[in-house]
Amino acid sequence: MKTRIINGINKPISIAPLVHFRVLFGLIMFISVARFVFYGWIATQYIEPEFHFSYYGFSWVSNPGETGIYLLFITMALSALGIAMGYYYKVSALLFFLSFTYVELIDVTNYLNHYYFVSLVAFLMLWMPAHLAFSVDSKRKGFTISRIPYGYVLAIQLLLSLVYFYAGLAKLNPAWMMEALPLKIWLPMFSHLPLVGAWMSELWVAYAFSWFGAIYDLSIPFFLFYSRTRPYAYMAVLIFHLSTWLLFPIGMFPFIMILATTIFFSPESHLKVASSLRNIFRKKSATAYSSSNEPYKTPYQKLIWNLFAWFLVIQLLLPLRAYAYPGNLFWTEQGYRFSWRVMLMEKAGYAIFHIRDKVTGREWENYASDYLSPMQEKQMATQPDLILQFAHFLQQKLADEGFEEVEIRAEVYVSLNGGMNQLLIDSSADLTQIEDGFAPKTWILPYKKSL
């Protein structure tokens, strides 16, 4: 069994799928950065806010200021183009991974599943020989590699499969499957659409979307791996992601998944695409993937396979940590991030922070809107760990103003999936005395399902 796996991983295949993935990944990342600049999100998300919420264990990742932020985005854009062109590929891949991941770590409230996915793919691309054909590097060095071990392509395919599978597994919960939540809240908002608008308020449509979404996510990796079902599966990928893009404001995620999923097509299919493109542009030279070289080999191959294996094992286990925490996951959100739970809940809340000066006994209230952007305030008001972070930020602000000993309590009301507002955390708990950590947060109040 082990021998068969090793032989399968080391089986030589055309480099075309990996090269096409490199080009598409670099281009879509460049477009994503340009889109961020165009909409002015650099200023609203990273420059204007006074405070940024850090990931646990990454408080050392600080905002580098206006100049630093723009330099990071310029680095992202140029390195993304470098990846697409295969120009100093290894340097470009490293710079993109570091700059993108650093920006992602600056503020938790900007977290999106596809940002995390991009960081993971960028890490894998560091170790890929994706620049050895159809690249500036290969032209500059005067040689190309036509074949690589299948393991390089397989690593990306397995990562995509984990994303899809866990997204489907997360949908197997009573709210999604038995109550069509939150889709029965969201879909009626599209009743104005031509042709399909009249259906959007129908309950059976919400159930159909919910069940189809779960079945799609759980099954699509298997259909993509199987050659006979792959064309139909990819058609489903197009329909699914374009539909979600048209209905919901989820940014570039659908296009990233549509382009990334092309990695499942056979090397022969990719070679046909390359040949067609060559004919369109009337390039009479040999195909970019032809070469008399031997299959790609590196003395570090075993080390790279071990690195990929551990990487995939971590991605396999990390989403499971959510099951180690008590209570309703959507309510506590302990273990929610990095687990591929995509668009599973409608959650809204508001928070009032009650301050008491322990020295004078004076009491007053503070509001997050005085310090945070609307996006930050919205995210903070429903996530207990961010509420705690903001309380500690307030404690420091007050200390700077001369209030050395204060008690800070938070009155936070949250509605989950259209239910009644409920207190999220113990409003009598002094948050200045609580430290964050991986242990269950006992100061989060239990969720009571409203009728």
Side-chain angles (χ1 to χ4, degrees):
M1 182 67 175
K2 182 179 179 181
T3 303
R4 288 180 61 188
I5 293 174
I6 293 175
N7 290 339
I9 292 173
N10 289 312
K11 177 185 175 182
I13 65 166
S14 170
I15 196 175
L18 186 59
V19 169
H20 290 172
F21 185 88
R22 184 205 82 214
V23 174
L24 293 173
F25 179 74
L27 289 177
I28 196 68
M29 288 302 101
F30 177 78
I31 293 171
S32 298
V33 175
R35 182 171 173 266
F36 222 89
V37 175
F38 177 78
Y39 284 108
W41 293 336
I42 297 177
T44 58
Q45 295 187 22
Y46 295 103
I47 296 174
E48 295 172 3
E50 179 181 355
F51 174 68
H52 294 282
F53 295 88
S54 62
Y55 290 86
Y56 182 73
F58 288 90
S59 57
W60 52 272
V61 178
S62 59
N63 189 319
E66 183 174 355
T67 301
I69 282 290
Y70 278 110
L71 285 174
L72 283 170
F73 274 88
I74 291 171
T75 301
M76 263 192 277
L78 294 178
S79 58
L81 284 179
I83 290 172
M85 297 168 58
Y87 180 71
Y88 287 97
Y89 169 76
K90 292 292 186 180
V91 175
S92 295
L94 178 62
L95 288 176
F96 180 82
F97 169 70
L98 292 176
S99 58
F100 186 93
T101 304
Y102 191 95
V103 169
E104 181 187 357
L105 290 172
I106 288 175
D107 198 318
V108 180
T109 59
N110 296 324
Y111 170 82
L112 292 172
N113 282 284
H114 67 274
Y115 290 172
Y116 177 48
F117 175 72
V118 167
S119 281
L120 296 181
V121 172
F123 176 79
L124 285 178
M125 295 299 284
L126 288 172
W127 314 98
M128 301 282 182
H131 61 304
L132 299 181
F134 194 62
S135 68
V136 175
D137 286 351
S138 63
K139 185 176 182 179
R140 181 164 45 88
K141 294 179 180 179
F143 74 93
T144 63
I145 293 292
S146 62
R147 292 185 295 166
I148 58 171
Y150 173 53
Y152 288 107
V153 171
L154 179 63
I156 301 172
Q157 291 174 335
L158 290 176
L159 176 60
L160 278 162
S161 298
L162 285 173
V163 173
Y164 276 121
F165 182 77
Y166 273 122
L169 187 64
K171 290 179 172 66
L172 302 182
N173 66 79
W176 183 274
M177 301 297 291
M178 307 308 295
E179 301 178 64
L181 286 169
L183 287 179
K184 72 180 182 184
I185 299 174
W186 294 340
L187 291 180
M189 293 187 294
F190 303 100
S191 58
H192 64 282
L193 295 176
L195 299 179
V196 299
W199 292 355
M200 292 294 116
S201 297
E202 296 288 338
L203 185 59
W204 69 267
V205 173
Y207 275 99
F209 272 59
S210 297
W211 279 74
F212 175 77
I215 294 170
Y216 166 86
D217 284 333
L218 288 170
S219 62
I220 201 67
F222 302 101
F223 290 131
L224 286 169
F225 269 112
Y226 186 43
S227 60
R228 291 188 178 182
T229 57
R230 189 177 298 132
Y232 308 104
Y234 193 71
M235 186 63 67
V237 169
L238 289 173
I239 294 172
F240 179 83
H241 286 296
L242 289 176
S243 298
T244 55
W245 173 70
L246 288 170
L247 291 176
F248 305 110
I250 53 178
M252 298 298 293
F253 180 68
F255 300 103
I256 291 172
M257 296 304 286
I258 287 171
L259 295 179
T261 308
T262 59
I263 194 74
F264 283 95
F265 282 99
S266 67
E268 294 74 21
S269 299
H270 283 273
L271 286 171
K272 289 179 181 178
V273 170
S275 178
S276 299
L277 291 174
R278 188 179 73 252
N279 292 333
I280 291 173
F281 292 103
R282 298 178 182 179
K283 185 177 179 181
K284 296 181 179 180
S285 60
T287 175
Y289 307 110
S290 63
S291 172
S292 59
N293 292 344
E294 291 294 317
Y296 173 76
K297 292 181 181 179
T298 172
Y300 307 107
Q301 193 64 76
K302 187 175 180 180
L303 181 63
I304 291 174
W305 291 159
N306 286 328
L307 176 68
F308 285 0
W310 279 109
F311 171 86
L312 291 169
V313 167
I314 291 172
Q315 301 313 313
L316 179 66
L317 297 178
L318 194 61
L320 300 177
R321 76 194 192 283
Y323 298 102
Y325 292 101
N328 185 313
L329 173 64
F330 297 155
W331 185 251
T332 68
E333 297 201 34
Q334 291 194 272
Y336 188 87
R337 300 185 195 107
F338 314 117
S339 61
W340 311 117
R341 288 173 163 83
V342 184
M343 298 183 65
L344 293 179
M345 62 178 176
E346 171 70 21
K347 200 174 182 184
Y350 65 91
I352 303 173
F353 291 85
H354 301 277
I355 318 296
R356 187 177 74 87
D357 185 350
K358 294 181 180 180
V359 177
T360 65
R362 177 191 167 197
E363 296 185 8
W364 68 97
E365 296 174 351
N366 270 24
Y367 296 88
S369 58
D370 294 336
Y371 308 95
L372 306 178
S373 70
M375 169 64 79
Q376 287 180 310
E377 184 182 9
K378 178 182 177 182
Q379 296 293 322
M380 180 276 297
T382 61
Q383 301 177 50
D385 61 330
L386 303 190
I387 294 169
L388 181 63
Q389 274 195 51
F390 184 72
H392 285 201
F393 163 74
L394 279 182
Q395 180 184 18
Q396 184 59 53
K397 287 284 292 184
L398 292 168
D400 294 340
E401 296 173 8
F403 299 96
E404 296 291 345
E405 296 186 41
V406 296
E407 175 185 299
I408 301 178
R409 296 173 291 106
E411 187 178 358
V412 184
Y413 285 93
V414 172
S415 169
L416 178 61
N417 285 336
M420 294 177 60
N421 283 325
Q422 300 179 37
L423 278 174
L424 176 63
I425 67 173
D426 183 356
S427 57
S428 66
D430 181 2
L431 298 179
T432 66
Q433 302 302 309
I434 299 174
E435 295 296 330
D436 201 1
F438 292 117
K441 295 176 171 56
T442 56
W443 43 276
I444 301 176
L445 297 177
Y447 174 66
K448 297 179 182 179
K449 182 176 174 59
S450 55
L451 298 178

